[in-house]
PDB file of all heavy atoms in Angstrom:
ATOM      1  N   ARG A  92     103.867 135.876  69.128  1.00  0.00           N
ATOM      2  CA  ARG A  92     104.677 137.015  68.747  1.00  0.00           C
ATOM      3  C   ARG A  92     105.460 136.689  67.442  1.00  0.00           C
ATOM      4  O   ARG A  92     105.671 135.485  67.142  1.00  0.00           O
ATOM      5  CB  ARG A  92     105.714 137.359  69.855  1.00  0.00           C
ATOM      6  CG  ARG A  92     106.668 136.234  70.095  1.00  0.00           C
ATOM      7  CD  ARG A  92     107.815 136.691  71.060  1.00  0.00           C
ATOM      8  NE  ARG A  92     108.815 135.597  71.234  1.00  0.00           N
ATOM      9  CZ  ARG A  92     110.043 135.928  71.444  1.00  0.00           C
ATOM     10  NH1 ARG A  92     110.566 137.112  71.595  1.00  0.00           N
ATOM     11  NH2 ARG A  92     110.961 134.872  71.596  1.00  0.00           N
ATOM     12  N   VAL A  93     105.973 137.708  66.770  1.00  0.00           N
ATOM     13  CA  VAL A  93     106.762 137.463  65.575  1.00  0.00           C
ATOM     14  C   VAL A  93     108.110 138.057  65.791  1.00  0.00           C
ATOM     15  O   VAL A  93     108.306 139.177  66.159  1.00  0.00           O
ATOM     16  CB  VAL A  93     106.028 138.133  64.319  1.00  0.00           C
ATOM     17  CG1 VAL A  93     106.951 138.042  63.116  1.00  0.00           C
ATOM     18  CG2 VAL A  93     104.658 137.663  64.125  1.00  0.00           C
ATOM     19  N   VAL A  94     109.136 137.188  65.522  1.00  0.00           N
ATOM     20  CA  VAL A  94     110.513 137.599  65.573  1.00  0.00           C
ATOM     21  C   VAL A  94     111.149 137.678  64.116  1.00  0.00           C
ATOM     22  O   VAL A  94     111.043 136.706  63.434  1.00  0.00           O
ATOM     23  CB  VAL A  94     111.356 136.623  66.406  1.00  0.00           C
ATOM     24  CG1 VAL A  94     112.877 136.969  66.290  1.00  0.00           C
ATOM     25  CG2 VAL A  94     110.941 136.684  67.891  1.00  0.00           C
ATOM     26  N   ASN A  95     111.504 138.820  63.738  1.00  0.00           N
ATOM     27  CA  ASN A  95     112.123 138.950  62.407  1.00  0.00           C
ATOM     28  C   ASN A  95     113.686 138.782  62.376  1.00  0.00           C
ATOM     29  O   ASN A  95     114.319 139.648  62.850  1.00  0.00           O
ATOM     30  CB  ASN A  95     111.755 140.313  61.780  1.00  0.00           C
ATOM     31  CG  ASN A  95     111.986 140.443  60.308  1.00  0.00           C
ATOM     32  OD1 ASN A  95     112.431 139.493  59.745  1.00  0.00           O
ATOM     33  ND2 ASN A  95     111.650 141.531  59.704  1.00  0.00           N
ATOM     34  N   ALA A  96     114.089 137.713  61.891  1.00  0.00           N
ATOM     35  CA  ALA A  96     115.500 137.409  61.842  1.00  0.00           C
ATOM     36  C   ALA A  96     116.071 137.510  60.420  1.00  0.00           C
ATOM     37  O   ALA A  96     116.957 136.892  60.062  1.00  0.00           O
ATOM     38  CB  ALA A  96     115.877 135.987  62.437  1.00  0.00           C
ATOM     39  N   SER A  97     115.383 138.354  59.658  1.00  0.00           N
ATOM     40  CA  SER A  97     115.747 138.507  58.195  1.00  0.00           C
ATOM     41  C   SER A  97     116.984 139.408  58.108  1.00  0.00           C
ATOM     42  O   SER A  97     117.200 140.374  58.881  1.00  0.00           O
ATOM     43  CB  SER A  97     114.626 139.100  57.473  1.00  0.00           C
ATOM     44  OG  SER A  97     113.418 138.320  57.498  1.00  0.00           O
ATOM     45  N   VAL A  98     117.776 139.204  57.118  1.00  0.00           N
ATOM     46  CA  VAL A  98     118.984 139.926  56.819  1.00  0.00           C
ATOM     47  C   VAL A  98     119.148 140.276  55.317  1.00  0.00           C
ATOM     48  O   VAL A  98     118.977 139.412  54.510  1.00  0.00           O
ATOM     49  CB  VAL A  98     120.244 139.047  57.192  1.00  0.00           C
ATOM     50  CG1 VAL A  98     121.599 139.811  56.842  1.00  0.00           C
ATOM     51  CG2 VAL A  98     120.215 138.701  58.682  1.00  0.00           C
ATOM     52  N   SER A  99     119.285 141.587  55.057  1.00  0.00           N
ATOM     53  CA  SER A  99     119.390 141.998  53.681  1.00  0.00           C
ATOM     54  C   SER A  99     120.624 141.311  52.998  1.00  0.00           C
ATOM     55  O   SER A  99     121.660 141.278  53.665  1.00  0.00           O
ATOM     56  CB  SER A  99     119.542 143.500  53.531  1.00  0.00           C
ATOM     57  OG  SER A  99     118.368 144.145  53.904  1.00  0.00           O
ATOM     58  N   GLY A 100     120.443 140.853  51.809  1.00  0.00           N
ATOM     59  CA  GLY A 100     121.543 140.175  51.129  1.00  0.00           C
ATOM     60  C   GLY A 100     121.682 138.652  51.386  1.00  0.00           C
ATOM     61  O   GLY A 100     122.527 137.965  50.804  1.00  0.00           O
ATOM     62  N   GLU A 101     120.889 138.186  52.310  1.00  0.00           N
ATOM     63  CA  GLU A 101     120.935 136.762  52.777  1.00  0.00           C
ATOM     64  C   GLU A 101     120.662 135.774  51.575  1.00  0.00           C
ATOM     65  O   GLU A 101     119.780 135.952  50.778  1.00  0.00           O
ATOM     66  CB  GLU A 101     120.043 136.512  53.890  1.00  0.00           C
ATOM     67  CG  GLU A 101     120.170 135.163  54.573  1.00  0.00           C
ATOM     68  CD  GLU A 101     121.210 135.098  55.657  1.00  0.00           C
ATOM     69  OE1 GLU A 101     122.375 135.267  55.364  1.00  0.00           O
ATOM     70  OE2 GLU A 101     120.809 135.004  56.798  1.00  0.00           O
ATOM     71  N   THR A 102     121.524 134.794  51.533  1.00  0.00           N
ATOM     72  CA  THR A 102     121.319 133.641  50.657  1.00  0.00           C
ATOM     73  C   THR A 102     120.780 132.448  51.403  1.00  0.00           C
ATOM     74  O   THR A 102     120.790 132.497  52.647  1.00  0.00           O
ATOM     75  CB  THR A 102     122.540 133.186  49.910  1.00  0.00           C
ATOM     76  OG1 THR A 102     123.527 132.879  50.861  1.00  0.00           O
ATOM     77  CG2 THR A 102     123.137 134.386  49.061  1.00  0.00           C
ATOM     78  N   THR A 103     120.359 131.356  50.721  1.00  0.00           N
ATOM     79  CA  THR A 103     119.945 130.145  51.461  1.00  0.00           C
ATOM     80  C   THR A 103     121.105 129.633  52.244  1.00  0.00           C
ATOM     81  O   THR A 103     120.917 129.045  53.312  1.00  0.00           O
ATOM     82  CB  THR A 103     119.401 129.134  50.523  1.00  0.00           C
ATOM     83  OG1 THR A 103     120.326 128.843  49.597  1.00  0.00           O
ATOM     84  CG2 THR A 103     118.101 129.609  49.856  1.00  0.00           C
ATOM     85  N   ALA A 104     122.284 129.765  51.730  1.00  0.00           N
ATOM     86  CA  ALA A 104     123.503 129.325  52.503  1.00  0.00           C
ATOM     87  C   ALA A 104     123.667 130.018  53.788  1.00  0.00           C
ATOM     88  O   ALA A 104     123.896 129.417  54.848  1.00  0.00           O
ATOM     89  CB  ALA A 104     124.778 129.457  51.700  1.00  0.00           C
ATOM     90  N   GLY A 105     123.444 131.319  53.814  1.00  0.00           N
ATOM     91  CA  GLY A 105     123.520 132.152  55.029  1.00  0.00           C
ATOM     92  C   GLY A 105     122.395 131.727  56.012  1.00  0.00           C
ATOM     93  O   GLY A 105     122.649 131.608  57.167  1.00  0.00           O
ATOM     94  N   GLY A 106     121.168 131.535  55.520  1.00  0.00           N
ATOM     95  CA  GLY A 106     120.095 131.071  56.318  1.00  0.00           C
ATOM     96  C   GLY A 106     120.346 129.691  56.859  1.00  0.00           C
ATOM     97  O   GLY A 106     120.045 129.499  58.148  1.00  0.00           O
ATOM     98  N   ALA A 107     120.914 128.778  56.167  1.00  0.00           N
ATOM     99  CA  ALA A 107     121.280 127.416  56.658  1.00  0.00           C
ATOM    100  C   ALA A 107     122.239 127.566  57.760  1.00  0.00           C
ATOM    101  O   ALA A 107     122.274 126.743  58.659  1.00  0.00           O
ATOM    102  CB  ALA A 107     121.691 126.545  55.490  1.00  0.00           C
ATOM    103  N   ALA A 108     123.244 128.469  57.580  1.00  0.00           N
ATOM    104  CA  ALA A 108     124.307 128.620  58.627  1.00  0.00           C
ATOM    105  C   ALA A 108     123.796 129.184  59.911  1.00  0.00           C
ATOM    106  O   ALA A 108     124.257 128.981  61.042  1.00  0.00           O
ATOM    107  CB  ALA A 108     125.458 129.518  58.037  1.00  0.00           C
ATOM    108  N   ARG A 109     122.737 130.043  59.799  1.00  0.00           N
ATOM    109  CA  ARG A 109     122.252 130.773  60.951  1.00  0.00           C
ATOM    110  C   ARG A 109     121.082 130.087  61.675  1.00  0.00           C
ATOM    111  O   ARG A 109     120.774 130.405  62.850  1.00  0.00           O
ATOM    112  CB  ARG A 109     121.795 132.199  60.543  1.00  0.00           C
ATOM    113  CG  ARG A 109     122.860 133.107  60.166  1.00  0.00           C
ATOM    114  CD  ARG A 109     122.345 134.612  60.226  1.00  0.00           C
ATOM    115  NE  ARG A 109     121.197 134.760  59.316  1.00  0.00           N
ATOM    116  CZ  ARG A 109     120.046 135.189  59.689  1.00  0.00           C
ATOM    117  NH1 ARG A 109     119.734 135.396  61.004  1.00  0.00           N
ATOM    118  NH2 ARG A 109     119.045 135.339  58.871  1.00  0.00           N
ATOM    119  N   ILE A 110     120.342 129.208  61.016  1.00  0.00           N
ATOM    120  CA  ILE A 110     119.135 128.786  61.559  1.00  0.00           C
ATOM    121  C   ILE A 110     119.236 128.115  62.955  1.00  0.00           C
ATOM    122  O   ILE A 110     118.329 128.249  63.762  1.00  0.00           O
ATOM    123  CB  ILE A 110     118.298 127.976  60.511  1.00  0.00           C
ATOM    124  CG1 ILE A 110     116.859 127.798  61.026  1.00  0.00           C
ATOM    125  CG2 ILE A 110     118.913 126.546  60.307  1.00  0.00           C
ATOM    126  CD1 ILE A 110     115.890 127.286  59.938  1.00  0.00           C
ATOM    127  N   GLU A 111     120.217 127.265  63.067  1.00  0.00           N
ATOM    128  CA  GLU A 111     120.372 126.525  64.385  1.00  0.00           C
ATOM    129  C   GLU A 111     120.420 127.514  65.496  1.00  0.00           C
ATOM    130  O   GLU A 111     119.775 127.344  66.577  1.00  0.00           O
ATOM    131  CB  GLU A 111     121.624 125.663  64.352  1.00  0.00           C
ATOM    132  CG  GLU A 111     121.550 124.473  63.369  1.00  0.00           C
ATOM    133  CD  GLU A 111     120.590 123.341  63.883  1.00  0.00           C
ATOM    134  OE1 GLU A 111     120.085 123.473  64.995  1.00  0.00           O
ATOM    135  OE2 GLU A 111     120.513 122.376  63.136  1.00  0.00           O
ATOM    136  N   GLY A 112     121.222 128.602  65.420  1.00  0.00           N
ATOM    137  CA  GLY A 112     121.307 129.594  66.399  1.00  0.00           C
ATOM    138  C   GLY A 112     120.049 130.280  66.693  1.00  0.00           C
ATOM    139  O   GLY A 112     119.618 130.593  67.788  1.00  0.00           O
ATOM    140  N   GLU A 113     119.290 130.651  65.621  1.00  0.00           N
ATOM    141  CA  GLU A 113     118.061 131.304  65.721  1.00  0.00           C
ATOM    142  C   GLU A 113     117.003 130.434  66.355  1.00  0.00           C
ATOM    143  O   GLU A 113     116.122 130.888  67.232  1.00  0.00           O
ATOM    144  CB  GLU A 113     117.517 131.760  64.337  1.00  0.00           C
ATOM    145  CG  GLU A 113     118.368 132.874  63.699  1.00  0.00           C
ATOM    146  CD  GLU A 113     118.422 134.228  64.453  1.00  0.00           C
ATOM    147  OE1 GLU A 113     117.461 134.407  65.344  1.00  0.00           O
ATOM    148  OE2 GLU A 113     119.215 135.070  64.140  1.00  0.00           O
ATOM    149  N   LEU A 114     116.988 129.201  66.031  1.00  0.00           N
ATOM    150  CA  LEU A 114     116.058 128.233  66.640  1.00  0.00           C
ATOM    151  C   LEU A 114     116.281 128.092  68.186  1.00  0.00           C
ATOM    152  O   LEU A 114     115.403 128.084  68.954  1.00  0.00           O
ATOM    153  CB  LEU A 114     116.140 126.835  65.984  1.00  0.00           C
ATOM    154  CG  LEU A 114     115.666 126.788  64.569  1.00  0.00           C
ATOM    155  CD1 LEU A 114     116.032 125.412  63.932  1.00  0.00           C
ATOM    156  CD2 LEU A 114     114.104 126.949  64.554  1.00  0.00           C
ATOM    157  N   LYS A 115     117.578 127.968  68.543  1.00  0.00           N
ATOM    158  CA  LYS A 115     117.948 127.898  69.932  1.00  0.00           C
ATOM    159  C   LYS A 115     117.609 129.169  70.697  1.00  0.00           C
ATOM    160  O   LYS A 115     117.074 129.134  71.839  1.00  0.00           O
ATOM    161  CB  LYS A 115     119.397 127.581  70.095  1.00  0.00           C
ATOM    162  CG  LYS A 115     119.911 127.348  71.468  1.00  0.00           C
ATOM    163  CD  LYS A 115     121.380 127.038  71.553  1.00  0.00           C
ATOM    164  CE  LYS A 115     121.807 126.755  72.921  1.00  0.00           C
ATOM    165  NZ  LYS A 115     123.268 126.427  72.983  1.00  0.00           N
ATOM    166  N   ARG A 116     117.736 130.328  70.115  1.00  0.00           N
ATOM    167  CA  ARG A 116     117.627 131.573  70.742  1.00  0.00           C
ATOM    168  C   ARG A 116     116.135 131.896  70.899  1.00  0.00           C
ATOM    169  O   ARG A 116     115.663 132.419  71.986  1.00  0.00           O
ATOM    170  CB  ARG A 116     118.308 132.645  69.951  1.00  0.00           C
ATOM    171  CG  ARG A 116     118.143 134.069  70.554  1.00  0.00           C
ATOM    172  CD  ARG A 116     119.211 134.996  69.968  1.00  0.00           C
ATOM    173  NE  ARG A 116     119.509 134.838  68.583  1.00  0.00           N
ATOM    174  CZ  ARG A 116     120.578 134.302  68.046  1.00  0.00           C
ATOM    175  NH1 ARG A 116     121.518 133.874  68.831  1.00  0.00           N
ATOM    176  NH2 ARG A 116     120.764 134.150  66.752  1.00  0.00           N
ATOM    177  N   ASN A 117     115.306 131.592  69.867  1.00  0.00           N
ATOM    178  CA  ASN A 117     113.973 132.002  69.905  1.00  0.00           C
ATOM    179  C   ASN A 117     112.888 130.891  70.180  1.00  0.00           C
ATOM    180  O   ASN A 117     111.729 131.165  70.483  1.00  0.00           O
ATOM    181  CB  ASN A 117     113.596 132.635  68.575  1.00  0.00           C
ATOM    182  CG  ASN A 117     114.413 133.915  68.373  1.00  0.00           C
ATOM    183  OD1 ASN A 117     114.197 134.952  69.026  1.00  0.00           O
ATOM    184  ND2 ASN A 117     115.270 133.889  67.315  1.00  0.00           N
ATOM    185  N   GLN A 118     113.244 129.630  70.041  1.00  0.00           N
ATOM    186  CA  GLN A 118     112.442 128.540  70.307  1.00  0.00           C
ATOM    187  C   GLN A 118     111.045 128.604  69.666  1.00  0.00           C
ATOM    188  O   GLN A 118     110.064 128.631  70.316  1.00  0.00           O
ATOM    189  CB  GLN A 118     112.287 128.225  71.727  1.00  0.00           C
ATOM    190  CG  GLN A 118     113.658 127.974  72.451  1.00  0.00           C
ATOM    191  CD  GLN A 118     113.603 127.656  73.946  1.00  0.00           C
ATOM    192  OE1 GLN A 118     112.536 127.915  74.557  1.00  0.00           O
ATOM    193  NE2 GLN A 118     114.590 127.168  74.506  1.00  0.00           N
ATOM    194  N   PRO A 119     111.020 128.805  68.323  1.00  0.00           N
ATOM    195  CA  PRO A 119     109.762 129.159  67.687  1.00  0.00           C
ATOM    196  C   PRO A 119     108.913 127.880  67.475  1.00  0.00           C
ATOM    197  O   PRO A 119     109.421 126.792  67.436  1.00  0.00           O
ATOM    198  CB  PRO A 119     110.162 129.639  66.307  1.00  0.00           C
ATOM    199  CG  PRO A 119     111.453 128.907  66.036  1.00  0.00           C
ATOM    200  CD  PRO A 119     112.070 128.894  67.373  1.00  0.00           C
ATOM    201  N   GLU A 120     107.579 128.112  67.389  1.00  0.00           N
ATOM    202  CA  GLU A 120     106.698 126.978  67.079  1.00  0.00           C
ATOM    203  C   GLU A 120     106.328 127.078  65.624  1.00  0.00           C
ATOM    204  O   GLU A 120     105.847 126.100  64.992  1.00  0.00           O
ATOM    205  CB  GLU A 120     105.424 127.070  67.879  1.00  0.00           C
ATOM    206  CG  GLU A 120     105.698 126.831  69.399  1.00  0.00           C
ATOM    207  CD  GLU A 120     104.360 126.620  70.154  1.00  0.00           C
ATOM    208  OE1 GLU A 120     103.341 126.251  69.521  1.00  0.00           O
ATOM    209  OE2 GLU A 120     104.440 126.825  71.382  1.00  0.00           O
ATOM    210  N   VAL A 121     106.554 128.199  64.946  1.00  0.00           N
ATOM    211  CA  VAL A 121     106.374 128.325  63.503  1.00  0.00           C
ATOM    212  C   VAL A 121     107.649 129.098  62.945  1.00  0.00           C
ATOM    213  O   VAL A 121     108.112 130.037  63.449  1.00  0.00           O
ATOM    214  CB  VAL A 121     105.124 129.167  63.156  1.00  0.00           C
ATOM    215  CG1 VAL A 121     104.988 129.420  61.671  1.00  0.00           C
ATOM    216  CG2 VAL A 121     103.901 128.332  63.652  1.00  0.00           C
ATOM    217  N   VAL A 122     108.059 128.490  61.829  1.00  0.00           N
ATOM    218  CA  VAL A 122     109.232 129.171  61.104  1.00  0.00           C
ATOM    219  C   VAL A 122     108.811 129.451  59.672  1.00  0.00           C
ATOM    220  O   VAL A 122     108.325 128.564  58.920  1.00  0.00           O
ATOM    221  CB  VAL A 122     110.498 128.223  61.102  1.00  0.00           C
ATOM    222  CG1 VAL A 122     111.599 128.897  60.228  1.00  0.00           C
ATOM    223  CG2 VAL A 122     110.958 128.009  62.463  1.00  0.00           C
ATOM    224  N   VAL A 123     108.959 130.785  59.304  1.00  0.00           N
ATOM    225  CA  VAL A 123     108.652 131.154  57.886  1.00  0.00           C
ATOM    226  C   VAL A 123     110.050 131.433  57.204  1.00  0.00           C
ATOM    227  O   VAL A 123     110.899 132.176  57.672  1.00  0.00           O
ATOM    228  CB  VAL A 123     107.863 132.509  57.853  1.00  0.00           C
ATOM    229  CG1 VAL A 123     107.682 133.028  56.430  1.00  0.00           C
ATOM    230  CG2 VAL A 123     106.609 132.334  58.640  1.00  0.00           C
ATOM    231  N   ILE A 124     110.271 130.674  56.114  1.00  0.00           N
ATOM    232  CA  ILE A 124     111.504 130.811  55.376  1.00  0.00           C
ATOM    233  C   ILE A 124     111.222 131.449  54.059  1.00  0.00           C
ATOM    234  O   ILE A 124     110.609 130.960  53.146  1.00  0.00           O
ATOM    235  CB  ILE A 124     112.034 129.397  55.142  1.00  0.00           C
ATOM    236  CG1 ILE A 124     112.405 128.712  56.425  1.00  0.00           C
ATOM    237  CG2 ILE A 124     113.324 129.466  54.237  1.00  0.00           C
ATOM    238  CD1 ILE A 124     112.783 127.147  56.311  1.00  0.00           C
TER     239      ILE A 124
END
Side-chain angles (χ1 to χ4, degrees):
R92 64 172 184 148
V93 176
V94 172
N95 193 358
S97 301
V98 176
S99 291
E101 186 87 292
T102 61
T103 57
R109 288 196 304 118
I110 193 165
E111 293 285 359
E113 295 293 348
L114 291 170
K115 183 177 181 180
R116 180 162 39 251
N117 297 293
Q118 299 182 349
E120 292 192 25
V121 173
V122 175
V123 178
I124 299 174

